[in-house]
Amino acid sequence: MPNTYKVKKTDAGNALFEGQKVTPYYEDTKEMIINGARADADHHVKKDGQYFAEHFEISGGN
């Protein structure tokens, strides 16, 4: 079962809103990839980066 993450800080430009839950379609120990704001643009997030720490918290899964 993949991890699910709760968005803890809104980033409207990337279609992420506080309280929203997202499930990456790809994830490993260093990165996750979620659907982006546009159908042709995925959002790659490095798990060791500031963006991940500010915007996501794990809410379920592995």
Side-chain angles (χ1 to χ4, degrees), residues 5-26:
Y5 295 89
K6 181 178 167 187
V7 177
K8 59 183 185 178
K9 180 179 177 185
T10 295
D11 178 358
N14 282 307
L16 297 170
F17 300 94
E18 187 175 344
Q20 174 184 356
K21 291 193 178 179
V22 295
T23 301
Y25 70 83
Y26 173 82

Side-chain angles (χ1 to χ4, degrees), residues 30-51:
K30 297 182 186 248
E31 175 182 47
M32 70 176 184
I33 305 173
I34 58 176
N35 293 324
R38 299 185 337 246
D40 64 342
D42 297 331
H43 192 42
H44 295 244
V45 181
K46 300 288 185 190
K47 290 182 172 182
D48 63 354
Q50 182 177 350
Y51 185 88

Side-chain angles (χ1 to χ4, degrees), residues 46-59:
K46 300 288 185 190
K47 290 182 172 182
D48 63 354
Q50 182 177 350
Y51 185 88
F52 181 83
E54 288 180 358
H55 289 86
F56 298 97
E57 64 185 28
I58 195 160
S59 69

